[in-house]
Amino acid sequence: MPHHAIALNQDDIRFALGQKIMLDFRYFCEKGDGSTCRTPVTTLPAPLAKVIEKHKIGGVILFSENTQTISQTFQLTSEFLAANQRNEKSVPLFIAIDQEGGRVARLNREEATSFTGNMSIGATYPRKGTYYATEVASVIATELNHLAINVNFAPTVDVNMNPSNPVINVRSFGEDPEIVAKLGAAQVTAMENAGVISALKHFPGHGDTHVDSHTGLPLVSHDKKTIFATDLKPFVEIIKTAPPGMIMTAHIQYPYLDDSTVTSASGKAMVRPATMSKKIMTELLRDELGYKGVTITDALDMAGISAFFDPLQAVIETFNAGVDIALMPVPIRSIADIHRFDAFMDNLTEEVVKGRISKTLLDASLQRVLTLKKSLKSINPYSVTQAKSVIGNPSHRALEKALALDSITLVKNDNVLPLTSTQKLHIITPDSRKGEALKQAMLKINSALSITYSSLQALDETVVKHHIEQANMIIAAHASPQQSAVEIGGAEDVELLKSHRLQAAKQPTTLMKLMGHAQDVGKKTVFISLRAPYEIAEFSKLSDAVLASYAYNIDVDSEREVSGPAFTALAEVILGKHQANGVLPVTIK
């Protein structure tokens, strides 16, 4: 791999540009225009393999559509590696994923260990320090490694300072920048020690936003002093103590870091998002903070960028800001899309030739990418049998269970917990799967309990009130904020979210009404915050006891069993088998 400055000819330029692109192949249909295609890519179709070969594409990102089983994922990554080997300049391929743990986990939860996420790790920090951060990252990386996935877009080191943050919330370790920095550094070290490149995100910080950059463009109006004391602090510390292989940008405007403007596709001048800011991505991150690794954009198909710029302009601005890799600049869902992508790459090459993309920046960027790739294996050293024996193995599951248990936080208790006598319980949860999971977990511990449950999704108030009146105790659970685009799907699924949102928006008020009724008829009530615990401020007035779990993922969902680590842990705490040891990692007003 060349390390001296190269006089870039047309082939060099094409190679450099290919290495600076990371594509998603989430869906693909051989027929049709691709706009409505929802056929998941579970094996690599020849036309897509050809795209990787022809354009010497530097990386691919996998989503849950691509990773349905261990065997299938192993086969798919092998096909990606084989397509990459067919390049005459074969350098290792980045195969990336968002396997943060908790809310954002792309591998099949039934097979792989997905854990209860960052805020639950934050809740264990006062007692356990960086123990879980290290162990969890090590397990996640080991499992990815066995599938030849060599880049993990984690850890999220955004400092969650905004209770109404729709996209980060429990993906953050908490609100204390020092603790976030320590836990983030521990995860970077553990992941990279296990052979997976980590990518800190979202630089310079997505923690104080109330807009999801999948659906809009957030603006953070902190002054410089606040930015350095909070948003940037974890990045500054981790770059000093445990520099990660990659850092991911945030599609967020930070006028106090860069108030210069860029003209959008519709001709409007707007403050540059961090992704397109040379001041932020080069002068701040590289010159001031001394970061020498690879930078990658957050997905360029997110509305924070795609609503304002066409793909070519977005990538030109990004590359000229000094960002190394453009993530998902152009969707490829059909044969027509492949032709569009071919034209896009031709246009990009033309931009370099004409000098609209700096050759010096292009070369410097390529060298950083190649240097990082030197640390990677270009073929998968494992077999599918080895992958199956490691992924989700009993010791990994035991760690998942231990974290879930140690993070459960008892916020309030008026002598209600633990439940000692055999009781008749009524559970109210956001949907029936969560109700079933909690019911099964409790019956496993005490089969003599009598348990009914209602779902807030399909609710008959009269029926629920009758259940409340018949029960000795009510367990009411809620998850706030609602699921975001990043969990339910990608940018193309934003439309599907709208109807889901309207219905979900009524849940908190409905639940409060039912809890109020329970109080009126003299029933003891336990409230469980299943996600960001800020909602406890509202619900605790109506509760005799309050618990926070920071997670509600269901790992097994079959006819016979519905279970997830948070529900197992909650059942053990409610029934007195285990103490609640967690400490709130955020302030509740």
Side-chain angles (χ1 to χ4, degrees):
M1 293 176 197
H3 265 268
H4 47 85
I6 38 183
L8 298 175
N9 62 30
Q10 193 90 350
D11 281 351
D12 291 330
I13 291 169
R14 285 188 176 273
F15 172 67
L17 289 172
Q19 286 299 302
K20 282 170 60 60
I21 300 283
M22 187 179 279
L23 295 174
D24 73 301
F25 297 114
R26 186 181 280 194
Y27 308 110
F28 186 72
C29 301
E30 298 257 355
K31 295 188 170 66
D33 71 345
S35 61
T36 55
C37 175
R38 286 293 180 276
T39 307
V41 173
T42 52
T43 60
L44 190 60
L48 295 183
K50 196 94 184 110
V51 170
I52 293 171
E53 284 170 63
K54 177 180 175 182
H55 295 290
K56 325 236 180 331
I57 295 301
V60 295
I61 176 175
L62 305 180
F63 286 92
S64 47
E65 290 83 358
N66 309 119
T67 58
Q68 298 183 0
T69 68
I70 292 174
S71 318
Q72 168 270 320
T73 305
F74 189 94
Q75 182 58 37
L76 179 62
T77 58
S78 306
E79 290 165 5
F80 276 127
L81 293 171
N84 181 61
Q85 295 295 114
R86 292 192 288 270
N87 292 338
E88 66 274 19
K89 277 189 178 177
S90 179
V91 296
L93 180 75
F94 286 138
I95 301 181
I97 198 164
D98 292 288
Q99 190 73 3
E100 299 173 14
R103 270 178 56 193
V104 181
R106 307 296 190 204
L107 298 180
N108 171 347
R109 289 179 190 270
E110 196 159 338
E111 291 187 303
T113 321
S114 57
F115 297 101
T116 45
N118 282 2
M119 198 167 276
S120 70
I121 293 174
T124 69
Y125 181 79
R127 280 168 181 260
K128 294 282 186 175
T130 58
Y131 170 78
Y132 282 115
T134 298
E135 296 301 313
V136 165
S138 179
V139 164
I140 288 175
T142 303
E143 295 193 359
L144 294 178
N145 216 331
H146 278 76
L147 293 169
I149 298 168
N150 50 30
V151 176
N152 189 10
F153 292 135
T156 298
V157 292
D158 301 309
V159 181
N160 205 71
M161 297 164 274
N162 190 328
S164 51
N165 192 325
V167 67
I168 303 300
N169 54 75
V170 289
R171 294 166 67 195
S172 164
F173 294 112
E175 67 185 10
D176 182 331
E178 294 281 351
I179 294 172
V180 171
K182 287 192 177 99
L183 294 170
Q187 289 217 314
V188 167
T189 305
M191 236 178 277
E192 305 220 347
N193 284 346
V196 170
I197 291 162
S198 65
L200 280 192
K201 60 190 188 185
H202 306 81
F203 186 82
H206 206 319
D208 191 9
T209 59
H210 60 274
V211 172
D212 179 349
S213 49
H214 290 84
T215 53
L217 181 60
L219 181 141
V220 172
S221 53
H222 293 172
D223 60 24
K224 217 162 173 177
K225 194 177 160 201
T226 310
I227 293 168
F228 273 86
T230 55
D231 311 80
L232 271 179
K233 184 132 187 128
F235 294 97
V236 175
E237 295 299 320
I238 296 167
I239 288 166
K240 271 197 299 227
T241 58
M246 286 192 192
I247 288 180
M248 179 181 273
T249 71
H251 304 324
I252 298 182
Q253 296 166 319
Y254 264 88
Y256 279 88
L257 293 177
D258 184 2
D259 61 359
S260 70
T261 58
V262 57
T263 307
S264 72
S266 64
K268 281 204 181 93
M270 55 189 280
V271 171
R272 280 181 181 277
T275 300
M276 298 181 169
S277 162
K278 189 177 183 178
K279 265 190 180 165
I280 294 172
M281 295 314 304
T282 299
E283 291 168 23
L284 173 62
L285 180 58
R286 296 204 181 281
D287 305 345
E288 196 173 332
L289 305 185
Y291 180 63
K292 294 183 172 61
V294 167
T295 51
I296 183 164
T297 70
D298 203 343
L300 290 172
D301 69 350
M302 287 160 57
I305 295 295
S306 63
F308 305 98
F309 305 96
D310 66 64
L312 187 67
Q313 187 191 0
V315 173
I316 294 168
E317 291 291 347
T318 295
F319 286 171
N320 283 334
V323 181
D324 297 318
I325 299 174
L327 174 62
M328 297 162 58
V330 176
I332 299 179
R333 306 281 185 257
S334 65
I335 300 293
D337 286 344
I338 292 177
H339 298 316
R340 272 193 282 273
F341 182 70
D342 290 341
F344 167 81
M345 291 304 282
D346 289 343
N347 292 337
L348 214 48
T349 307
E350 192 60 25
E351 293 294 322
V352 180
V353 172
K354 287 184 182 153
R356 283 204 282 266
I357 292 175
S358 150
K359 279 187 185 172
T360 319
L361 282 182
L362 187 69
D363 183 36
S365 214
L366 175 65
Q367 300 315 324
R368 281 192 292 268
V369 169
L370 295 181
T371 300
L372 185 56
K373 285 192 169 188
K374 264 189 165 169
S375 66
L376 295 175
K377 303 174 189 75
S378 52
I379 50 169
N380 187 359
Y382 301 108
S383 67
V384 72
T385 315
Q386 283 171 304
K388 282 184 159 170
S389 70
V390 166
I391 294 169
N393 71 31
S395 74
H396 292 183
R397 289 295 186 189
L399 180 71
E400 178 181 51
K401 187 180 176 191
L403 168 61
L405 257 180
D406 273 342
S407 66
I408 301 288
T409 306
L410 183 63
V411 183
K412 175 183 178 178
N413 189 15
D414 295 339
N415 298 322
V416 179
L417 295 177
L419 297 190
T420 43
S421 56
T422 303
Q423 301 255 9
K424 196 171 182 190
L425 306 173
H426 186 66
I427 297 172
I428 307 169
T429 50
D431 57 68
S432 60
R433 304 325 282 152
K434 295 176 182 62
E436 185 61 36
L438 187 55
K439 176 184 171 176
Q440 288 188 17
M442 291 177 79
L443 290 174
K444 257 188 194 158
I445 298 168
N446 181 352
S447 57
L449 289 168
S450 159
I451 303 177
T452 52
Y453 65 81
S454 310
S455 148
L456 288 169
Q457 252 176 15
L459 196 78
D460 180 330
E461 267 188 55
T462 322
V463 175
V464 183
K465 283 180 172 171
H466 174 71
H467 280 304
I468 288 172
E469 287 151 19
Q470 297 301 303
N472 307 105
M473 176 175 281
I474 313 307
I475 297 176
H478 190 252
S480 166
Q482 302 302 335
Q483 286 179 293
S484 69
V486 75
E487 295 163 89
I488 295 175
E492 61 268 89
D493 299 319
V494 166
E495 281 309 305
L496 300 176
L497 283 173
K498 288 184 179 160
S499 59
H500 172 86
R501 259 208 199 108
L502 280 173
Q503 184 207 5
K506 297 178 187 145
Q507 286 194 6
T509 34
T510 308
L511 185 59
M512 281 186 177
K513 213 162 119 186
L514 293 169
M515 288 169 73
H517 179 69
Q519 248 184 0
D520 294 343
V521 295
K523 306 294 175 174
K524 295 286 184 199
T525 305
V526 177
F527 176 70
I528 303 169
S529 166
L530 293 171
R531 189 187 253 181
Y534 302 104
E535 61 180 356
I536 289 170
E538 295 296 304
F539 284 101
S540 68
K541 310 180 198 81
L542 299 164
S543 327
D544 300 289
V546 175
L547 292 165
S549 67
Y550 316 101
Y552 54 65
N553 42 302
I554 286 170
D555 290 354
V556 179
D557 194 350
S558 65
E559 272 180 35
R560 287 210 317 274
E561 187 191 350
V562 183
S563 68
F567 295 104
T568 307
L570 283 163
E572 294 207 1
V573 168
I574 291 168
L575 296 174
K577 274 200 75 177
H578 198 278
Q579 248 186 314
N581 292 326
V583 178
L584 285 170
V586 292
T587 306
I588 292 167
K589 296 278 189 296

